[in-house]
Every structure is written in structure tokens, then in C-alpha cells.
Amino acid sequence: MTVTTGGPLPGGEYDVTVIGAGVVGTAIARELARLPLRIALVDASDDVGDGTSKANTAILHTGFDAVPGSLESRLVREGSRRLATYAAESGIPVEPLGALLVAWDEEQLAALPGLAEKAVRNGYRAARIVPAGEVRAREPELGPGVLGALEVPGESVICPWSTTLAYATQAVRAGVDLHLNCRVRAVTSGDPHLLATGRGPLRTRHLVNAAGLYADEIDRLLGHADFTVTPRRGQLIVFDELARGLVRHILLPVPGALGKGVLVTPTVHGKVMLGPTAEDLDDKTATGSTADGIALLREKGRRILPALLEEEVTAVYAGLRTATGSEDYAVRAHPAQRYVTVGGIRSTGLTASMAIAAHVVELLADGGLATSGAVEPEPVRVPNLGEAFPRPYRDAEMIAADPEYGRIVCHCERVTRGEIRDALAATVPPGSLDGLRRRTRARAGRCQGFHCGAAVRALFEDARR
């Protein structure tokens, strides 16, 4: 098991290198780990899932509203099934809440039959139009003016942090070399490709570009200009767990030109999320929130679920999606070059991740990668971060076996010393306090670490020493 965070890279030649350790890149590395090959996964950050993957709406989609016949439609449909099964095996929390696309005006109401028909064309036949009275009965806290909704019972919420961590852990345990703090600065295409990184040269016969917001820039290093990534900022507000009883489903808007619009959704962590905005920017690092963005969300939220605005806010954050101007994924294979681009993976990428990975391996095989001798990697179990499932502080048997699981450090989120210790000693340990938060929820609660921050930092720094 190899995870490196500094110093020169190991020598020799990799069979395949994946650039980008987000949810898609780690899924591809996990899929490649089934093969008897030398695989590398590299990322510019100090942790896996530290880009777009850490700041999404955490929905396990059915793909009902994808473009029929598109690659995205097929991979989301297939990926949803795969990930639901994998999550159950790996301990990733999933809650099948179902979704309601709520119509607030006559134009939106008139769009619902077309969306229901679109779902059927995407292979999803469980969607149905629900009259206003039933919508109100099922979601009594909705604001006034509801005219109806499209019910999509197969939509679920999932933990995106645990998903990426499970993929990365399984890949590393199966022999993948994970190199963090390893930004790719230049590529000399050849046999092998030569990557110039911030930690020295890396040689690889096959190359996969899953660099997210920077996938277009890596693509250009290989001589291609098939697409351009425009960062689309999505700001979100997270409301305290006391708001959780206000909403029973994922409340989706009728989609518009810039995406699915502002939604209200419970999270597996027991909170309620409002967002995202959709702002096309030029800066791929602009993950700050803005007063205008928060004001817009509050305005939208007041119409959807008025009582939500009276609840306490736990966090405000923003993520950047990879908009390309296309309605489909930008997955491109260059077999003669032994190179595959996995670009334009938008908000459905979490759901589609395992199917994208399988598709990429097929494309690599077309470029000459030997794919015989596949062996399933050993299963993994990630710590549960979901409120609907048992957590250590409530598990008498765990506490009896190890009292550290009964010693709470973060009281807002009820995170124990045992959980923090385990995360710091894991196969893929956190590279920062934010990484530790994504593995344990420590410092993610109402006080945002005001009370537990010093204790959590001390545990983190002791482990690094």
C-alpha cells in the first residue's frame, strides 16, 4: 500500500496513470486495480476528493432527466445501480427519500408531462405526476402556490465524502500508488508518456485525464482542444439538524437552462441543504460565497420552504461544476495515443462514477491495454457518517470493546476520539483538518469547531508527528 505526499516519485514506468483523485478518478483507479498492472493515481491536492467532489449536492440520481440517448444517460442509469450496491457493501450511507419536482406556476406545471415522458425514454418508468393536494399532504411545510409535482421515487441522498474515500482506499489496498501534492505541469506524449510534476518525472504507458476543472488544460498538453471547462459556481446553505423534520423528500425545481436549479434536500448527515446557485465564472479557484448568492438562495428558499429560513445555519459553502457548453459528458478516447479524457463530468458524476470507470477501462483496452486476469479487490468498510445508521457514540458494544468510542470530542456532531484516531491511521489518511472533517464530521456542526477545534487540531498534529 503506497500513499505519498512529498519527495521524489518512485522510478520505473506505470502501465496506467490517472490524473485527478476526485470521485471519478478514484473510481477509475479502483476499477484498474482489478488488473495485474502498475497503476498510479496523482492529484495536485493533499487529499482525495478535495475539488468538485467535496462540494456537491450529494444526490444519488436515477438519471430520469438526462438527455435521452446520451452517454451520460446510460452511465448514470448503470452507475446508480452499481453505486447503490457498492454503498450497501461498503458502509456508505444512503437514504432513499425520493424526489418531488415541484411546479410553482402554470409553465412549470405544463412541463411535467414532458419530464415524465423524458424519464421513460431514459429507462425510468416509476415517475408520476402528483396533484397539488397530495404534494401538500406529503410536504406540509411547502410554501403557498404549489400546483403539482413530478414524483421520482428512486432518487436518494448519499455521502459523497465516504464514496470517494472508499474507492481510494480499495484502490490503494489493491496496489495502486496514490501520489498527492503532485500537480502535473507538462506532458510529453510518447511511449511512454512523460509527465513533469511538482515532485519530479513520472513515466506511464497509458494516461487517463480525470482532472475535473482542469481537464481541458491537461487535454491541451496532449495536443487536443475538444472542449473548454467553464467553472460554474454553486453556493449552498446548510441548515442545522433541528431543521431536518421540515422536509421529507428531495425537493427539486423544474429544470432550467443552467441546470437543475435551487433545491432543498435532506443530507445523510442529518441536516438540510438549500442550493445551489449557478454562476458561470472565469476563475477555477473562486469557491468563495457571496452576499448576492446567499440572498438569492434565501429568496428561493423562502418560497419553497418558508419555515427553513427560521432555522440556524450550520455552514455556507460553494463548489465549482465543470460546465462545457455541452449537454453530455466530454469523454474522448485517443487509442493511438493511449490516452482517454474524462471531462465535463457534471453533478451526476458521483452517481455515474462506477459506470464511467468501467467505460474508461473499455476505452483503454481499445488503445492496447491488457485487461485480462482481472481479480475483484478486497471489500472495504468505511466508517458510517450517516444519522440514519448506528454511530459509535451510541454503540454500547463498540464502547465496551474500546472506550475511545465513548469519548466525544466534537459535541455538535457527536464525533469520538476513536473515530478521529481511526481516520488519522487509515490507509488514506487526511492531509488537513478539512480532510479529517470529511472523514469524521468533526468541526462540521453548528459551532464550526469553535468548541472542539483546539482538541481536534491537537489530535491531528500529534498523529502527523
Side-chain angles (χ1 to χ4, degrees):
M1 297 189 294
T2 302
V3 178
T4 71
T5 58
L9 297 173
E13 181 181 309
Y14 287 101
D15 294 298
V16 188
T17 294
V18 181
I19 302 173
V23 71
V24 171
T26 54
I28 295 168
R30 175 197 168 275
E31 186 72 15
L32 287 166
R34 300 169 60 246
L35 306 174
L37 302 171
R38 190 178 183 215
I39 309 297
L41 173 63
V42 303
D43 198 280
S45 180
D46 62 5
D47 201 359
V48 298
D50 195 42
T52 297
S53 299
K54 73 181 179 187
N56 58 39
T57 47
I59 295 175
L60 184 57
H61 294 284
T62 57
F64 77 96
D65 59 345
V67 175
S70 65
L71 179 64
E72 180 182 21
S73 174
R74 176 170 71 83
L75 295 182
V76 170
R77 190 166 59 246
E78 179 185 338
S80 182
R81 291 192 295 267
R82 288 187 181 220
L83 182 50
T85 300
Y86 182 77
E89 295 170 349
S90 305
I92 300 165
V94 174
E95 290 188 54
L97 301 176
L100 294 171
L101 276 80
V102 182
W104 299 94
D105 59 41
E106 294 293 343
E107 183 179 351
Q108 292 176 359
L109 186 65
L112 297 185
L115 288 168
E117 189 270 336
K118 188 179 189 181
V120 172
R121 290 164 62 202
N122 279 313
Y124 187 78
R125 291 174 170 77
R128 71 181 184 97
I129 295 175
V130 179
E134 183 179 340
V135 177
R136 176 73 57 195
R138 293 172 64 174
E139 288 289 354
E141 297 294 338
L142 280 172
V146 174
L147 299 182
L150 181 71
E151 180 189 16
V152 188
E155 300 275 299
S156 304
V157 292
I158 187 171
C159 179
W161 308 329
S162 300
T163 304
T164 305
L165 182 63
Y167 292 160
T169 299
Q170 203 166 25
V172 170
R173 289 182 181 174
V176 171
D177 288 351
L178 171 60
H179 301 306
L180 300 169
N181 299 309
C182 188
R183 182 179 298 277
V184 175
R185 295 173 172 166
V187 179
T188 303
S189 185
D191 190 4
H193 300 295
L194 176 63
L195 278 58
T197 81
R199 295 177 51 198
L202 184 150
R203 291 170 176 80
T204 185
R205 188 143 200 280
H206 296 261
L207 184 61
V208 178
N209 169 12
L213 289 167
Y214 300 92
D216 56 342
E217 298 176 27
I218 297 295
D219 213 38
R220 283 160 177 72
L221 295 179
L222 274 293
H224 307 285
D226 294 337
F227 62 97
T228 296
V229 171
T230 299
R232 180 169 292 165
R233 180 166 60 191
Q235 301 184 50
L236 300 107
I237 303 174
V238 182
F239 290 88
D240 187 68
E241 59 188 24
L242 295 176
R244 180 63 182 82
L246 295 176
V247 59
R248 303 169 185 175
H249 302 77
I250 302 164
L251 301 179
L252 300 173
V254 177
L258 284 177
K260 293 181 170 62
V262 173
L263 57 86
V264 173
T265 180
T267 75
V268 293
H269 309 124
K271 299 178 178 62
V272 177
M273 190 157 55
L274 170 66
T277 57
E279 312 153 55
D280 286 348
L281 307 174
D282 297 323
D283 184 357
K284 293 182 179 181
T285 64
T287 56
S289 300
T290 67
D292 288 346
I294 300 307
L296 173 65
L297 292 179
R298 291 183 63 84
E299 176 189 335
K300 298 281 189 182
R302 188 170 286 109
R303 181 177 191 184
I304 300 167
L305 208 69
L308 184 62
L309 276 297
E310 305 303 317
E311 298 294 333
E312 293 199 25
V313 172
T314 294
V316 171
Y317 70 94
L320 298 175
R321 286 107 81 190
T322 55
T324 62
S326 168
E327 291 189 321
D328 203 357
Y329 294 159
V331 178
R332 309 278 191 271
H334 305 278
Q337 202 175 14
R338 302 177 315 285
Y339 169 62
V340 177
T341 302
V342 190
I345 309 299
R346 298 166 302 186
S347 58
T348 55
L350 169 62
T351 300
S353 54
M354 297 188 82
I356 293 171
H359 180 59
V360 167
V361 172
E362 291 174 359
L363 296 177
L364 288 168
D366 292 342
L369 182 70
T371 57
S372 59
V375 176
E376 290 303 312
E378 289 293 318
V380 296
R381 292 287 296 183
V382 291
N384 167 52
L385 301 183
E387 280 300 300
F389 308 91
R391 292 184 58 212
Y393 78 96
R394 299 181 64 181
D395 191 322
E397 290 187 11
M398 284 187 74
I399 295 168
D402 185 345
E404 292 291 88
Y405 293 119
R407 297 190 175 113
I408 294 178
V409 177
C410 171
H411 286 267
C412 292
E413 297 297 287
R414 296 169 293 280
V415 181
T416 66
R417 286 179 62 96
E419 292 169 277
I420 292 172
R421 174 203 62 201
D422 292 351
L424 292 169
T427 301
V428 183
S432 65
L433 287 170
D434 282 345
L436 181 59
R437 175 176 52 81
R438 293 193 292 272
R439 286 161 173 80
T440 64
R441 290 173 47 181
R443 299 168 50 252
R446 184 185 300 179
C447 84
Q448 289 291 288
F450 180 82
H451 291 288
C452 69
V456 173
R457 179 179 290 277
L459 292 170
F460 176 76
E461 292 179 350
D462 285 349
R464 288 169 73 87
R465 282 197 288 267

